Amino acid sequence: MMAARQSDPRAMPPAAPGVDLFCRVIDNYGDIGVCWRLACCLHHDHGCPVRLWVDDLRAFQHLCRAIDPGLSTQIHAGIEVIHWSGSTPDLEPHEMVIEAFACDPPSHHIARMPGHSKLWLNLEYLATEEWAAGCHGMESPQPDGQRKFFFFPGFLPGTGGVLREQTLTQQRQDWQSNPAQVRRWLAGLLPHDETARALIEQPQLQIVTLFCYPDAPVAELLQALGRLPGQMLLLVPERVMLPALPGAMASNLHLARIPFLPQPEYDRLLWSADLNLVRGEDSFVRALLAGQPMLWQAYRQDDEAHLAKVEGWLRQTRAPETIRQAWLAWNRPADTGTVDLLEQGLRCANRARWHTFFQDFSTYLDGQHDLASALLAFYYKQTGLSG
Ligand code: TRH
């Protein structure tokens, strides 16, 4: 038997830096969705102690059912969750302070930060346009001379990458390699819908998932899907508000409500479907990582900046024209023609071109650095410490 090697403490790598992650829930689920996922990646993949400060625990509870909105501090999955309310505890800041989406952490926390081993970052929204790489990592000068940096998640080299757990691809492959398990799991989401459960047994059934904003042209989407060949099951999580829909639905289409799922289960849903319609930021990335054909609805902004995001992604990725037309029709519905454009696009969604394109893009993402690793690399570079 080999003798246990004596470890030289001087040769040990430094402990992973602790992280304070601040999150304000503005609306929807994206703010807390991104922050919870980032907290999990930093802790589970890299061993960072993480404190997640959240101002709205009820929104958080939808993504992680174990959260108790009545507690001021609690620990889940090894992460300390602090209810960020008027009276925040005065704690010694961790090495890295990340404020999500310029949410303005308490000044007393920042005031206690200075020191060569500390770093303050503003994690920005996902950027799809060319300018993102130029702004990523830039310093944001502060009146008191403190050092703060912009950190831009993105798809292109030169940005901070996207959130991707280290075991994600393996988990997805395991899930997709067991169709019987997938069918059983889907049926379990639909205990009161006999029609849907019977459909799930049909081998040729196409599964479509829908997560969109209330202004999405859903009636047009249903018409377009109704014109396509084959039987389809459209799964819509609770809490996803749909616009008013026509009473009658095409005979090849069945719409079913499923529960709003905890984050890891929502991934499984995306992995189980033939076509995913997603919205916002986090579910967009998750659907891309699922590698299945998809349509994205960007979060609407006043000056139509959301359309620039959609165009930016389509341009950067040189998406095929049918994808481009369908995505633009979904994001910019016109009074007429939307159904035709969606139909033309979606006719191709179950063909090889879309499959290959989205599979290739998920493989490309697998080869890129992920956001949590990029944040740590940035920390070590700025502080001069080594990871
Ligand atoms: O909820 P969103 O519309 O969030 C948006 C965007 O992030 C937008 O950029 C931001 O400015 C705005 O909020 C304030 O979409 P998003 O980003 O996809 O977040 C949804 C989260 O909910 C994501 O983490 C996936 C998760 N989710 C589940 O966990 N279970 C579900 O059943 C569903 C439908 C979603």
Side-chain angles (χ1 to χ4, degrees):
M1 207 169 136
M2 276 171 58
R5 219 171 349 149
Q6 290 291 315
S7 60
D8 174 358
R10 288 163 305 176
M12 299 252 290
V19 178
D20 278 311
L21 175 53
F22 286 88
C23 173
R24 250 186 237 287
V25 176
I26 305 293
D27 60 2
N28 302 322
Y29 308 102
D31 306 288
I32 184 58
V34 167
C35 290
W36 177 232
R37 201 181 292 292
L38 174 59
C40 291
C41 287
L42 286 167
H43 183 63
H44 301 148
D45 289 349
H46 299 279
C48 299
V50 180
R51 267 192 312 233
L52 174 58
W53 304 66
V54 188
D55 69 341
D56 182 350
L57 295 177
R58 288 193 187 280
F60 192 178
Q61 197 183 27
H62 294 303
L63 307 183
C64 174
R65 290 179 187 154
I67 291 292
D68 181 343
L71 294 179
S72 52
T73 62
Q74 50 199 305
I75 295 183
H76 294 289
I79 291 150
E80 188 179 355
V81 175
I82 301 184
H83 187 198
W84 182 16
S85 57
S87 55
T88 48
D90 194 7
L91 301 174
E92 169 72 21
H94 272 314
E95 281 79 11
M96 187 151 45
V97 171
I98 304 175
E99 59 170 299
F101 319 126
C103 71
D104 207 11
S107 50
H108 62 78
H109 196 81
I110 296 298
R112 290 181 63 179
M113 272 192 72
H116 76 281
S117 65
K118 309 264 181 180
L119 187 68
W120 177 16
L121 294 171
N122 178 26
L123 178 68
E124 288 287 345
Y125 286 108
L126 181 73
T128 58
E129 302 96 318
E130 290 77 358
W131 53 259
C135 299
H136 174 60
M138 273 174 58
E139 189 162 352
S140 157
Q142 299 299 301
D144 57 3
Q146 285 224 46
R147 301 198 74 197
K148 175 180 175 183
F149 296 86
F150 293 109
F151 205 90
F152 278 89
F155 301 101
L156 290 175
T159 64
V162 295
L163 281 168
R164 175 170 49 79
E165 298 78 359
Q166 283 171 4
T167 60
L168 187 76
T169 306
Q170 190 58 52
Q171 286 181 45
R172 185 189 90 194
Q173 287 165 354
D174 291 349
W175 181 256
Q176 290 175 331
S177 68
N178 191 341
Q181 173 183 273
V182 172
R183 276 202 300 277
R184 265 198 312 279
W185 180 76
L186 286 171
L189 300 178
L190 296 152
H192 307 298
D193 191 332
E194 251 174 65
T195 312
R197 285 206 313 281
L199 285 173
I200 287 169
E201 294 305 318
Q202 292 185 12
Q204 300 306 322
L205 175 74
Q206 292 168 60
I207 307 237
V208 181
T209 74
L210 176 60
F211 180 35
C212 63
Y213 295 111
D215 63 348
V218 178
E220 288 85 342
L221 172 77
L222 297 183
Q223 272 192 58
L225 291 174
R227 291 181 189 172
L228 302 184
Q231 184 64 51
M232 276 170 264
L233 176 60
L234 181 62
L235 299 176
V236 189
E238 301 286 355
R239 316 192 65 79
V240 179
M241 281 167 60
L242 296 180
L245 297 177
M249 192 108 47
S251 58
N252 67 335
L253 198 55
H254 181 76
L255 187 154
R257 284 287 188 169
I258 55 170
F260 192 93
L261 300 167
Q263 263 187 346
E265 291 193 43
Y266 184 59
D267 273 328
R268 288 183 184 173
L269 182 71
L270 299 174
W271 300 338
S272 308
D274 301 283
L275 173 69
N276 290 308
L277 288 99
V278 290
R279 75 181 204 194
E281 171 166 335
D282 192 53
S283 53
F284 173 38
V285 173
R286 302 316 279 187
L288 289 170
L289 289 166
Q292 304 292 84
M294 58 165 292
L295 259 69
W296 174 42
Q297 186 184 17
Y299 179 75
R300 183 175 283 279
Q301 286 165 286
D302 286 343
D303 48 1
E304 305 268 289
H306 59 293
L307 294 177
K309 281 188 184 243
V310 178
E311 298 262 15
W313 192 86
L314 293 165
R315 193 170 54 241
Q316 299 288 331
T317 57
R318 300 199 181 89
E321 192 54 25
T322 55
I323 295 180
R324 191 185 154 72
Q325 292 298 340
W327 280 38
L328 292 177
W330 185 236
N331 279 278
R332 198 177 43 198
D335 291 342
T336 56
T338 302
V339 180
D340 292 341
L341 283 170
L342 286 172
E343 179 197 342
Q344 281 155 28
L346 293 175
R347 261 185 202 285
C348 305
N350 56 8
R351 301 219 182 112
R353 188 97 196 269
W354 278 44
H355 276 276
T356 311
F357 176 78
F358 286 106
Q359 286 289 336
D360 286 354
F361 196 73
S362 74
T363 308
Y364 160 79
L365 287 180
D366 276 347
Q368 296 295 109
H369 59 217
D370 66 277
L371 182 69
S373 305
L375 278 165
L376 286 173
F378 192 78
Y379 169 82
Y380 289 123
K381 184 168 162 225
Q382 292 300 329
T383 58
L385 300 171
S386 57

